[in-house]
Amino acid sequence: MKYAALVEEVRGGIVENIHFGMICGVDDQYKTFYQVGDDEHYTYFRSASKPIQALPVFLTDIIGKYGLTEEEAALFTASHRGETYHIKALESMLRKLPVKEEELYCPPSYPLNIQPREEMIRKGIQKRKLYHNCSAKHMGFITVCREWGYPVEGYWKEDHPLQKQIIDILSNLSGVPISAIHIGIDGCGAPVFAIPLKRMSEVYLKLACPDLIQDPQLQLAVNKMTAIMNNQFNMIASHQFICSSLLEDRNIVAKGGAQGVYCFGLKNERVGFALKVLNGSEEVWPNIVASILEQISYSNHETIKRLRSLRPSVIRNDAGMEVGSIHEKFQSERLASK
């Protein structure tokens, strides 16, 4: 496994942390044009797979049939962070969809964001399955099962018809044979998939450029899904979080996953990227993605500015004093202009 230093954190003139990893960018000919480290490294998508796992919903008329708003529909692809606007939409989805909260396989949880989590704890509000960041994904799973006549029992198991369909969709988008897709169990209990980093880049290339998808129904579903992700960017994560900051740019389709995995595609440039931070850090995603966009001369400087504001290059202590700095250390081993 070949990897490189991606981000270095310095405090008082001494290197305190180094975040190692690998990055791959592919063009619309499926050629690697941007590479740091091993682009064939098998990597779990984690929650970066949520748009793929949501596609069965968008292959149906579930959104129209049950009168879901765009805000609600966006949550099928989301790792929601439990803000008030997320909970309001999730509660509404429970009322509209043929799903009961106790049917969700994901465990009871508190919100990911600190403020709503601490507020609930102060008020004595108990954990709920609805507050789990994967709850809407599971609502989508169950609704699709009822729509297509699949059994709801065991919908999260690898051999369930729904999960087999999702793996088939992933194989279609990535070009990886089903037999070569590694399957594990994600934090919410559903299957999670590992494929080579380059193939992950190709998936997000196709999410950004659906014309590359051969199946016309799948192409239509991707168009519908990504439009909603861009329209309702704060529903995908939350304000002041990288996924929402990137999706605010209508040229970008993006989603992160646990343990340092991040994927995004650029529509006009017709490229897809996937990266893995080997220590699992999510904090350095904005630094890495901003640097990639700068290195490929991305034209929307406002997007880069938003990313830089999420994770400035200056490290400050709790009193606001400048105590260190953050530096991106990587350059592509092969960089063609895009």
Side-chain angles (χ1 to χ4, degrees), residues 7-19 327 329:
V7 175
E8 186 178 87
E9 298 179 24
V10 176
R11 185 182 299 261
I14 294 175
V15 175
E16 187 171 41
N17 292 312
I18 301 178
H19 302 271
H327 309 275
K329 303 298 291 182

Side-chain angles (χ1 to χ4, degrees), residues 258-326:
Q259 297 302 315
V261 177
Y262 209 86
C263 301
F264 65 99
L266 307 180
K267 300 175 186 179
N268 294 334
E269 292 76 8
R270 298 179 68 80
V271 295
F273 286 90
L275 65 93
K276 168 70 173 175
V277 183
L278 287 173
N279 65 2
S281 174
E282 301 176 13
E283 291 183 351
V284 293
W285 283 343
N287 308 86
I288 296 168
V289 176
S291 184
I292 292 170
L293 294 177
E294 288 167 350
Q295 289 180 42
I296 65 171
S297 301
Y298 186 57
S299 61
N300 193 333
H301 299 291
E302 283 302 310
T303 298
I304 297 172
K305 185 178 178 181
R306 278 198 305 276
L307 293 177
R308 291 296 185 190
S309 71
L310 292 177
R311 180 73 168 170
S313 59
V314 173
I315 298 174
R316 297 186 184 277
N317 69 5
D318 295 342
M321 180 188 302
E322 183 176 336
V323 296
S325 56
I326 301 173

